[in-house]
Amino acid sequence: MTREIKNKDRKLRKSNMIKSKPNIGSIIILLIGCIGMSVLSYKLVSTSLSADYPQLTGLILGAFFGLFAILCIIALLSYDLITIDKEYVTIKSVLGFQKKKIHLRNIRAYNEIKKRTKHTSWTDLTIFYDDKKLKITSSMFSNYSEVKSRLTRGKRRDVISVKHWHRRSDLYYGIGFIALGLLMFVFFTNIYPNKNENILEHELSIIQGTVDHVTLDRSAKGKRSVRLGLKQHPKFIFSLSGINFDASEVEKLLAEVKQNDKIELKILSEVNEKKLLKTTALSFWDKTINYKTIDIYDLRDHKNTYLDINHYNKLRRQNASSWARNILIVVSFLILTYGLYLLLKAKRPITMNNE
C-alpha cells in the first residue's frame, strides 16, 4: 500500500513537472558569435603583430572581439536548465551541476521588465526569494511563458523594484550619454584646428619610384581609398584617402598608372625623415598607429597630374568650414543635454505613482 502511494505521488509530481526548453536560436547565435569573434580577434591581432611595430588599433579591436568571444563562451556555460515540480524549482548548469534549489513557497515576489534594441526585444523575469533573487531571460527559453506562469503563480509583482531598475538605467545611460557627448564635442571642435591653413611646399618631400601596384579599396562603411605600392619602399603603402582622395583624379589614375610605371609623389617631410630616411626618431603614435601607411599630398607622372597640392589645399580649407562639422557639434551638444536630463530624472524620488 505504501509503495502504491509513493508511486502515485511520484506520478503526480512528474505530471506537474515543467522543464525549461533551451532556445536553439539563441544557442546558435552564441556559438556563431564565439567562433566568429575568435577568428576575427586572431586575424586582427596576428595582422597587427606582423608589422615592424605592433599596431595599437588592431590590438585594441582584437582584444575587444576576443573579449566578446569569451563572453559568448561564458554565456553558453552559464546557460541555466530549470526544472519545476510540485514543490521545488531546481536550476542546473549545462554540464549537469546543480546551482540552486528553491522551495516554491519561499518565492515572495517577482518583477518583469521588457527590454528592446533596434533589432530584437526580450523580457527579464526576476524572482525574489528569501534575501536572494533569480533572473530568467525570455530569449533563452522557448517555453518562457510556461516557466513564468508556474514561478509567479499566486505571487505579487514588486513594482518598486521595477522603478529602481528604471532609475539605475537612467543613471547609467545618463553617464554614458554625457561621456559620449563630451567626447564628440571635443573631437568635432578640434578635428580641424589648422585645416584652414595650407600645407606649404617646403613641408613636403618628393619621392620618386617604380609602381608595384595600384588598388582601389572600399571600407565596410563605403569609404573609398587608393593604395599605391612602390618597389623601392615595399614595407609601406602610400595612400589617398579622405580629402586626399576627393582632391585626386582617381579614375584617370587607375586607368593610366600600371605596374612598373615611374611615378612622383610628395609626402610630409616629417614622415619621410621618420619612416623612409629614418633620420628622426619615431614617436609612440608613429609606431603604433598606421605605421605602414603614408599619405600622399601630390601625385604625378610624365603625362598627368593626379593630385595637385594646390587643389588639395583648396578642398582642405572648404572642408574646414563644412556645415556637416557644425551639425555634428550641435548633435554632440544635444546628446550631452539628453544625458543631463536622464541624470536629473534618475534623481527624482521613487513613489508608487511616479513613472
Side-chain angles (χ1 to χ4, degrees):
M1 187 70 178
T2 304
R3 184 180 296 175
E4 290 179 2
I5 293 173
K6 287 183 178 180
N7 288 336
K8 286 182 179 180
D9 184 60
R10 191 180 296 113
K11 289 180 180 179
L12 181 62
R13 290 180 61 186
K14 192 171 182 180
S15 65
N16 287 313
M17 185 178 293
I18 295 176
K19 290 186 177 181
S20 62
K21 299 175 183 178
N23 188 327
I24 302 301
S26 296
I27 293 176
I28 291 174
I29 289 172
L30 288 174
L31 284 171
I32 292 174
C34 175
I35 296 171
M37 293 300 104
S38 297
V39 171
L40 189 56
S41 175
Y42 172 77
K43 287 189 174 181
L44 283 168
V45 172
S46 60
T47 301
S48 298
L49 292 175
S50 65
D52 292 41
Y53 303 97
Q55 297 302 283
L56 195 61
T57 303
L59 292 177
I60 291 174
L61 289 174
F64 173 79
F65 289 122
L67 177 61
F68 191 87
I70 292 172
L71 291 176
C72 287
I73 294 173
I74 293 174
L76 283 170
L77 295 177
S78 303
Y79 212 108
D80 289 335
L81 301 176
I82 300 175
T83 302
I84 308 172
D85 58 27
K86 190 177 180 180
E87 296 182 80
Y88 292 95
V89 51
T90 305
I91 298 95
K92 292 184 178 181
S93 69
V94 291
L95 301 177
F97 297 108
Q98 181 173 304
K99 299 167 71 174
K100 293 178 183 178
K101 189 170 184 178
I102 307 165
H103 203 293
L104 289 174
R105 69 185 177 201
N106 291 339
I107 298 175
R108 54 182 176 81
Y110 74 95
N111 71 37
E112 190 176 34
I113 299 172
K114 293 184 178 180
K115 299 180 180 179
R116 180 184 300 275
T117 65
K118 183 178 180 180
H119 302 290
T120 187
S121 62
W122 71 96
T123 302
D124 282 345
L125 173 70
T126 303
I127 302 298
F128 299 96
Y129 66 98
D130 300 330
D131 293 326
K132 303 174 183 177
K133 59 184 178 180
L134 168 69
K135 187 167 79 170
I136 298 171
T137 301
S138 63
S139 61
M140 305 305 283
F141 305 115
S142 59
N143 62 336
Y144 167 77
S145 297
E146 187 180 15
V147 172
K148 172 202 165 185
S149 178
R150 178 63 69 87
L151 288 174
T152 61
R153 185 183 300 167
K155 309 300 179 181
R156 68 179 180 85
R157 181 166 184 171
D158 192 335
V159 179
I160 293 297
S161 66
V162 175
K163 295 180 183 293
H164 276 291
W165 180 87
H166 283 294
R167 186 182 205 179
R168 288 194 303 273
S169 180
D170 287 340
L171 177 64
Y172 298 149
Y173 274 109
I175 294 173
F177 277 114
I178 288 173
L180 177 62
L182 286 173
L183 284 173
M184 288 179 62
F185 185 79
V186 171
F187 179 77
F188 290 119
T189 52
N190 292 278
I191 190 171
Y192 299 124
N194 300 307
K195 292 293 184 182
N196 58 341
E197 297 180 9
N198 292 334
I199 291 181
L200 304 177
E201 285 287 346
H202 73 267
E203 298 177 294
L204 298 173
S205 293
I206 298 174
I207 306 296
Q208 295 177 333
T210 305
V211 175
D212 182 64
H213 62 269
V214 182
T215 57
L216 176 66
D217 285 354
R218 189 185 298 272
S219 70
K221 294 183 178 180
K223 293 183 178 180
R224 298 184 299 168
S225 63
V226 171
R227 295 164 61 86
L228 188 150
L230 295 181
K231 292 185 177 181
Q232 289 80 2
H233 304 286
K235 287 187 177 182
F236 297 95
I237 294 295
F238 297 87
S239 172
L240 293 170
S241 61
I243 300 175
N244 310 56
F245 181 92
D246 295 336
S248 302
E249 298 284 348
V250 175
E251 292 184 5
K252 184 187 292 186
L253 171 65
L254 296 173
E256 297 288 336
V257 178
K258 306 297 180 184
Q259 189 177 38
N260 296 321
D261 286 352
K262 301 296 182 181
I263 201 82
E264 178 183 290
L265 52 89
K266 294 180 182 179
I267 64 174
L268 290 175
S269 297
E270 180 184 13
V271 174
N272 182 40
E273 292 166 3
K274 288 181 177 180
K275 294 186 178 182
L276 302 185
L277 299 178
K278 300 186 184 301
T279 56
T280 304
L282 293 165
S283 69
F284 172 79
W285 301 112
D286 293 325
K287 295 177 182 178
T288 57
I289 303 294
N290 293 330
Y291 169 72
K292 295 176 67 175
T293 302
I294 298 176
D295 290 328
I296 302 171
Y297 294 93
D298 192 284
L299 180 63
R300 62 191 69 213
D301 58 19
H302 67 283
K303 296 183 297 184
N304 300 299
T305 297
Y306 306 105
L307 171 61
D308 180 72
I309 184 61
N310 295 316
H311 187 208
Y312 167 82
N313 281 327
K314 180 180 178 181
L315 200 61
R316 190 173 189 251
R317 290 193 300 271
Q318 290 175 355
N319 200 49
S321 58
S322 171
W323 57 267
R325 170 175 171 264
N326 296 328
I327 289 178
L328 289 170
I329 291 174
V330 173
V331 169
S332 65
F333 180 75
L334 292 175
I335 290 174
L336 176 62
T337 303
Y338 183 63
L340 291 172
Y341 162 75
L342 289 177
L343 279 187
L344 292 174
K345 185 180 176 184
K347 293 290 185 179
R348 294 191 313 184
I350 294 177
T351 65
M352 290 301 293
N353 296 322
N354 184 33
E355 295 297 334

